[in-house]
Amino acid sequence: MSKIEIGAGILLAIVSIIIILVVLVQESKEQGLTSAIGGGYNDSFYGKNTGNTRDAKLNRLTRNSAIILFVVTLAVSIIHQVMK
């Protein structure tokens, strides 16, 4: 294994742990029967400014971590095939 593969493997492990922790911290989106009856519509201050909330930041962190995980995995696979 080359140093690049080892470094990428460590990066993959770190990003995987970050994704696991962030997903565990996020609250469930399921509202149960209340959402089914009322439609789940939230027209409050917090509903309009969802981009600045803690959940929005966690969603962005999850999305960005998943993108990093995908790109690094693809790069390691390509590097491994080229070095073979």
Side-chain angles (χ1 to χ4, degrees), residues 17-47:
I17 291 170
I18 289 172
I19 289 175
I20 291 169
L21 293 176
V22 170
V23 168
L24 287 174
V25 170
Q26 289 179 0
E27 292 182 22
S28 173
K29 302 286 186 213
E30 185 178 325
Q31 295 179 355
L33 189 57
T34 307
S35 177
I37 294 171
Y41 182 71
N42 188 4
D43 192 21
S44 66
F45 174 77
Y46 297 111

Side-chain angles (χ1 to χ4, degrees), residues 1-2 4-12 69-83:
M1 291 181 74
S2 69
I4 295 173
E5 290 175 326
I6 293 171
I10 292 170
L11 181 62
L12 285 174
L69 183 76
F70 179 76
V71 169
V72 171
T73 302
L74 230 113
V76 168
S77 176
I78 291 170
I79 290 171
H80 182 72
Q81 291 298 323
V82 169
M83 293 185 154

Side-chain angles (χ1 to χ4, degrees), residues 14-15 17-23 25-26 53-69:
I14 292 170
V15 172
I17 291 170
I18 289 172
I19 289 175
I20 291 169
L21 293 176
V22 170
V23 168
V25 170
Q26 289 179 0
T53 63
R54 178 178 170 259
D55 287 335
K57 291 177 184 176
L58 289 173
N59 286 337
R60 281 194 301 267
L61 181 61
T62 304
R63 183 187 62 230
N64 292 339
S65 298
I67 290 170
I68 291 170
L69 183 76

